[in-house]
Amino acid sequence: MNPQAEELNVIIKEKSTVVYNLLSEKGKNIFFPKKGILGQTAEAKGTKINATIGAAIEDDGSPMRLDVLASKIDLDPSLVFPYAPSFGRPDLRSKWKNMIVEKNPSLQNTVLSLPVVTNALTHGISMAGYLFVDPGDEVIVPSLFWGNYNLTLANAYGAQLTKFNLFKNDGFDLDAFEEKLNEGETGKKILILNFPNNPSGYTPTQEEVDSIVSIINNSAEKGNEIVAITDDAYFGLVYEKDIAKESIFAPLSNLHENVLAVKIDGATKEDYVWGFRTGFVTYGIKGGDAELYNALESKTAGAIRGNISNAANISQSLLYATYNNPKYSLQKQAKFQTMKNRFKAVKEALEDEKYKKYFTALPFNSGYFMCIQLADGLNGEDVRQVLIKKYSIGTISLNNILRIAFSAVAAKDVKEMFDGIYKACEECS
Ligand SMILES: Cc1ncc(COP(=O)(O)O)c(C=O)c1O
């Protein structure tokens, strides 16, 4: 093993054997090369003639750039053209950490890592797979989950996705979750919690969150060592009362010495910048301290360095400027209201009793999506095809469930959409 990886492992083992045990083989072997090109470049910072890094510099010392490009960008060239660090821009990392605590006030006194910047959430999930999933490891997911976990975790790292039933009696199926988590031998467990959930648009109530956390705590008490990955892609888009407002990462990050919480989040959906590709991985474990977290951050940055090298500087700089702009909160609130109005339009439209003949809504209260369960005998793919060809309505078919991204449908069009779905179902039945 590379001595730099060994150095990190010694720290991690000393601070938490659980975290060490939870690392995959790849995770144990990875390190951020301090002594390579990046390290030597860092040491040369400020030299008069700096011939270290593979980037070009104008004669005046500013980043070399084409004016056709630079003239379109209203940011200082130093924030745009050079590489960002593999860990991410330090200013954005500490800003995002402060924002996590602001959005989840119960984290006020919890010691967390600094977020490491990823190329948005998909990449964050992939890096969590790199660090924690060995071929054949089970990863617990709900029965309705974002299909890309198949590529990011199963195809890429050999995970076996194993499902628990998501809904019972219009709420979270706590029994199914508990049973799945405690199934099999005591040892390493990996799970992904994604609220608001894609595809269902469900976030548990505060009471359900408390129960989920206590199920995880009991499982940890029994000796299981758990990596709880929270995919917070749609964080903050909660439209109903009594639904948990904070991420479940908050209680998990300080729950138990046997539970490592890994928060995957980012600007993509929260700040409506899908193409920017800026996300974060943040760690929390009871008793975690700066040394443990530094080691985990280094391993994460090492995995990133060996994968995409670093995430786009321009996106990070634009977001940093945005988060510091006093108009940010108000504008974000306005977009939230638009999303909430669409959600309300969906709820209102679904009050039409006639729809029950062909479809019923699965529980939803948040996020970008909701799902309808088609009546027995209807084929989702057939309905989807008719919807496109005859009614010019696009939906996603997941067996006999249709996923509807109300985030992309103007409130005024919602009723027409459900009437179209009703008619398409009538024609397909
Ligand atoms: C649950 C969930 N996680 C992650 C992502 C991916 O986010 P990103 O575009 O930031 O990679 C999505 C996007 O559809 C998602 O639905």
Side-chain angles (χ1 to χ4, degrees):
M1 182 175 293
N2 181 289
Q4 292 183 73
E6 192 52 49
E7 218 176 283
L8 297 176
N9 291 343
V10 166
I11 297 170
I12 292 174
K13 234 188 284 187
E14 193 184 293
K15 294 284 170 181
S16 164
T17 48
V18 173
V19 172
Y20 179 76
N21 294 341
L22 290 173
L23 288 171
S24 63
E25 275 312 299
K26 278 191 166 62
K28 290 189 171 90
N29 282 315
I30 196 69
F31 59 95
F32 187 75
K34 280 190 300 204
K35 290 148 196 158
I37 289 173
L38 298 180
Q40 295 180 37
T41 300
E43 280 179 10
K45 200 164 181 202
T47 50
K48 189 168 136 234
I49 301 170
N50 186 350
T52 53
I53 201 151
I57 302 290
E58 300 284 0
D59 288 347
D60 69 1
S62 67
M64 190 167 282
R65 59 202 182 273
L66 304 181
D67 186 55
V68 279
L69 195 46
S71 61
K72 290 203 172 302
I73 302 168
D74 191 15
L75 279 176
D76 190 279
S78 67
L79 301 174
V80 174
F81 294 95
Y83 289 124
S86 294
F87 291 79
R89 288 189 64 88
D91 51 6
L92 182 65
R93 295 177 70 199
S94 49
K95 182 73 190 171
W96 189 258
K97 183 170 180 181
N98 292 342
M99 287 167 70
I100 288 179
V101 178
E102 271 166 32
K103 294 171 192 174
N104 300 274
S106 73
L107 283 172
Q108 207 72 46
N109 298 316
T110 306
V111 187
L112 299 175
S113 78
L114 256 188
V116 174
V117 176
T118 60
N119 196 44
L121 282 90
T122 309
H123 183 234
I125 291 159
S126 168
M127 292 298 93
Y130 185 113
L131 293 170
F132 300 107
V133 177
D134 278 312
D137 279 355
E138 286 193 351
V139 175
I140 300 172
V141 293
S143 48
L144 293 168
F145 67 92
W146 184 42
N148 205 14
Y149 298 155
N150 284 315
L151 296 186
T152 47
L153 297 173
N155 287 69
Y157 300 107
Q160 265 186 287
L161 301 188
T162 166
K163 296 186 234 174
F164 68 90
N165 183 54
L166 179 56
F167 292 127
K168 190 166 80 181
N169 303 331
D170 288 339
F172 191 91
D173 190 343
L174 293 163
D175 296 334
F177 175 65
E178 182 164 31
E179 198 177 312
K180 182 53 77 183
L181 186 60
N182 292 305
E183 204 175 77
E185 287 168 25
T186 304
K188 176 175 174 181
K189 307 274 172 180
I190 309 168
L191 66 109
I192 299 197
L193 296 169
N194 161 230
F195 308 130
N197 170 263
N198 177 2
S200 69
Y202 189 74
T203 296
T205 60
Q206 190 53 51
E207 231 183 310
E208 286 172 331
V209 166
D210 295 345
S211 302
I212 295 169
V213 170
S214 122
I215 288 168
I216 294 173
N217 189 55
N218 292 343
S219 180
E221 273 294 299
K222 276 189 230 162
N224 285 311
E225 300 182 335
I226 303 167
V227 195
I229 301 170
T230 63
D231 176 344
D232 290 350
Y234 302 91
F235 180 83
L237 294 163
V238 168
Y239 311 118
E240 284 188 338
K241 281 205 298 263
D242 304 328
I243 306 305
K245 290 273 185 305
E246 293 198 13
S247 165
I248 196 165
F249 170 81
L252 292 178
S253 61
N254 195 21
L255 181 69
H256 197 286
E257 287 82 359
N258 281 4
V259 179
L260 174 66
V262 181
K263 188 180 200 310
I264 312 282
D265 61 11
T268 309
K269 319 269 179 177
E270 280 192 52
D271 293 312
Y272 313 105
V273 289
W274 308 273
F276 274 38
R277 314 311 300 147
T278 308
F280 304 86
V281 179
T282 310
Y283 300 100
I285 183 168
K286 189 172 186 185
D289 64 6
E291 262 190 286
L292 174 68
Y293 292 137
N294 283 342
L296 277 174
E297 289 164 33
S298 291
K299 283 192 176 277
T300 312
I304 291 169
R305 173 71 176 153
N307 174 259
I308 58 159
S309 194
N310 49 76
N313 203 350
I314 184 170
S315 302
Q316 295 182 55
S317 295
L318 280 170
L319 286 166
Y320 183 71
T322 299
Y323 297 148
N324 285 303
N325 190 315
K327 292 184 194 148
Y328 167 66
S329 298
L330 216 60
Q331 293 188 6
K332 188 160 171 175
Q333 185 58 31
K335 298 302 174 198
F336 173 81
Q337 203 49 52
T338 302
M339 301 285 273
K340 189 171 176 177
N341 291 344
R342 292 174 184 174
F343 167 82
K344 285 206 282 202
V346 172
K347 285 272 170 187
E348 269 166 39
L350 288 170
E351 279 168 17
D352 196 333
E353 289 288 319
K354 77 172 178 211
Y355 296 151
K356 292 214 170 83
K357 184 169 177 199
Y358 296 122
F359 57 83
T360 48
L362 296 181
F364 72 107
N365 50 31
S366 55
Y368 278 30
F369 308 109
M370 57 88 57
C371 286
I372 53 173
Q373 173 90 51
L374 301 180
D376 285 347
L378 280 168
N379 177 298
E381 185 52 22
D382 294 347
V383 176
R384 188 183 78 83
Q385 291 290 346
V386 172
L387 278 168
I388 290 182
K389 291 186 188 124
K390 192 154 171 201
Y391 296 98
S392 193
I393 293 171
T395 58
I396 300 289
S397 137
L398 308 161
N399 298 317
N400 76 332
I401 285 174
L402 288 187
R403 186 190 78 175
I404 291 160
F406 61 79
S407 57
V409 181
K412 68 173 177 38
D413 296 330
V414 163
K415 182 74 181 128
E416 180 187 335
M417 174 177 70
F418 282 110
D419 281 340
I421 296 173
Y422 176 82
K423 285 186 213 146
C425 287
E426 198 167 39
E427 285 157 37
C428 290
S429 65

